Structures are given as structure tokens and as C-alpha cells.
Amino acid sequence: SLCPSIHYRPIKPNDLDRLEQIHRDIFPIKYESEFFQSVVNGVDIISWAAVDRSRPDDHSDELIGFVTAKFVLAKDSEIDDLVHYDSSKGEETLIYILTLGVVETYRNCGIARSLISEVIKYASGLSVCRGVYLHVIAHNNAAICLYKRLMFRCVRRLHGFYLIKRQHFDAFLFVYFINGS
Ligand code: ACO
């Protein structure tokens, strides 16, 4: 098939260079080296990588896609008003998706969908987790279609949220509610 055999695994320290390179290639925003260090070392960040096992040996474990995320306490989040609270279960948390990307030649194979599904599956297994949320720049149609398709709800438009090359751009805030929220 056009879409090869993709595997999903955690991100690890020797993914660092490739992870940085893909971020540079596909995002308009610059991420600091501390961010990449936290991702590959799993410090306060959870992440999944996609790799194509059908590639020749030296590339069969190379990142072709990724999702990175972190925990945010629901009450400290910007969607604290949308969360259903039930203190008997412990302190509610949310998972905030920081970055999601698939290299261009591997797009439209369902890799981003699978990466987001991994996050949702993980979040759903945590009884204190009430949802997964993220920001996306308002003109990113591919990503917006993806989140809508995966049943995320667009709950807010944030004016001038992103500053890129001294220009402001709006963001949409998407949320996927879980565990009865
Ligand atoms: N146009 C319209 N809909 C699209 C497009 C597109 N170009 N790409 C994906 N979709 C939608 C479709 O509904 C698709 O479902 P379908 O195939 O059943 O119709 C669904 O998304 C799933 O598509 P995938 O194949 O899983 O998406 P892909 O692996 O190609 O990755 C992504 C999508 C991550 C947006 C990719 O285009 C990319 O890396 N873009 C550059 C970086 C980026 O924009 N990242 C997201 C920014 S937001 C954030 O990081 C929190």
C-alpha cells in the first residue's frame, strides 16, 4: 500500500537531532533546546514517536512523526471553567498537546490520527484526567480538520495568540473531554 508499516514508540535521547530538525522544518515557531531536552529525557513531558519499520536498516527507527504533551492541573488551566470537578477522585488534570507533526512524505496515512489516539488512550486510563486540549493557529486547515474529525470540540478563538515574525495570529482552542467531563 502507499502507507507503509508504521510503529509507535516513546521518544528517546538519540531522537534529539531528528526531533529538532523536524520541528524546525514544519513549525513557524522556534522551540528552545530545553524543550527538546525535556522531550527526549521525558522530563515533565510525555511523547510518542512514529517510525517506518519498512525503511532500510539505518532509517527504520528514525522519527517520521511525533506528538509531545504535558500535564496541566485542571484548576490552573485556561479551561478550568469547562471541567467537571469531582474531588473524590483526586485532583483533576488535563493533558495539553504541545506539538504534533508528521514529515511531509508521510502525510495522509493516518499517522497523526494514530498519534492523537495514543494520547487519548493514555489519558483515558488515568481516572484524574478530564481531557486533552491544544491550540492551533487559525489558518492551519489540515490540523483543524484532523481535530474535528477526532471529535475534539473547538471551544474558543483566541485573538492574537501567536506572534510570528512580529505579526499576530489567532488560535483555536480544541478540547477532547474524557472520563465524564
Ligand atoms: N486537509 C484536510 N484534512 C486533513 C488534512 C489536509 N491536508 N490532513 C489531515 N486531514 C484530516 C483528515 O480529516 C484526515 O482524516 P481522513 O483521512 O479520514 O479524511 C485526518 O485529518 C487524519 O489525517 P492524518 O493522515 O492522520 O494526518 P497526517 O498524518 O497527514 O498529519 C498534520 C496531519 C499533523 C496536521 C500534518 O499535516 C503536519 O505535520 N502538518 C504540519 C505541522 C502541523 O500543522 N502540526 C499541527 C499543529 S497544532 C499542534 O501542534 C498542537
Side-chain angles (χ1 to χ4, degrees), residues 32-108:
E32 301 302 326
S33 69
E34 293 76 51
F35 167 68
F36 298 110
Q37 288 294 341
S38 308
V39 174
V40 301
N41 296 308
V43 180
D44 300 329
I45 291 191
I46 43 175
S47 66
W48 286 263
V51 300
D52 177 2
R53 292 272 186 252
S54 68
R55 292 176 81 187
D57 279 353
D58 48 336
H59 292 293
S60 66
D61 197 44
E62 185 179 287
L63 288 203
I64 52 145
F66 56 80
V67 61
T68 67
K70 66 175 181 179
F71 283 100
V72 176
L73 286 179
K75 66 174 168 49
D76 297 340
S77 75
E78 63 193 295
I79 52 166
D80 62 319
D81 54 322
L82 301 178
V83 173
H84 164 77
Y85 293 94
D86 172 6
S87 52
S88 68
K89 287 187 180 168
E91 185 150 51
E92 287 83 356
T93 70
L94 297 166
I95 289 182
Y96 178 65
I97 294 183
L98 294 155
T99 61
L100 166 74
V102 174
V103 302
E104 228 170 301
T105 49
Y106 282 91
R107 288 190 189 158
N108 299 309

Side-chain angles (χ1 to χ4, degrees), residues 3 8 22-23 25-28 31 64-68 96-104 106-116 133-137 140-150 162:
C3 296
Y8 299 90
I22 305 176
H23 276 74
D25 289 348
I26 69 175
F27 293 119
Y31 291 91
I64 52 145
F66 56 80
V67 61
T68 67
Y96 178 65
I97 294 183
L98 294 155
T99 61
L100 166 74
V102 174
V103 302
E104 228 170 301
Y106 282 91
R107 288 190 189 158
N108 299 309
C109 285
I111 296 174
R113 173 197 292 275
S114 298
L115 287 163
I116 295 289
Y133 73 108
L134 56 89
H135 294 106
V136 57
I137 201 161
N140 188 344
N141 292 325
I144 289 165
C145 286
L146 166 76
Y147 301 132
K148 285 185 174 164
R149 189 127 176 127
L150 295 183
Y162 291 106

Side-chain angles (χ1 to χ4, degrees), residues 78-79 96 134-138 154-162 168-174:
E78 63 193 295
I79 52 166
Y96 178 65
L134 56 89
H135 294 106
V136 57
I137 201 161
C154 184
V155 297
R156 226 159 265 167
R157 182 177 187 123
L158 302 162
H159 293 276
F161 180 83
Y162 291 106
H168 289 278
F169 297 91
D170 292 357
F172 290 120
L173 199 164
F174 277 90

Side-chain angles (χ1 to χ4, degrees), residues 3-14:
C3 296
S5 60
I6 305 301
H7 287 244
Y8 299 90
R9 61 161 175 79
I11 294 180
K12 44 193 192 195
N14 66 358

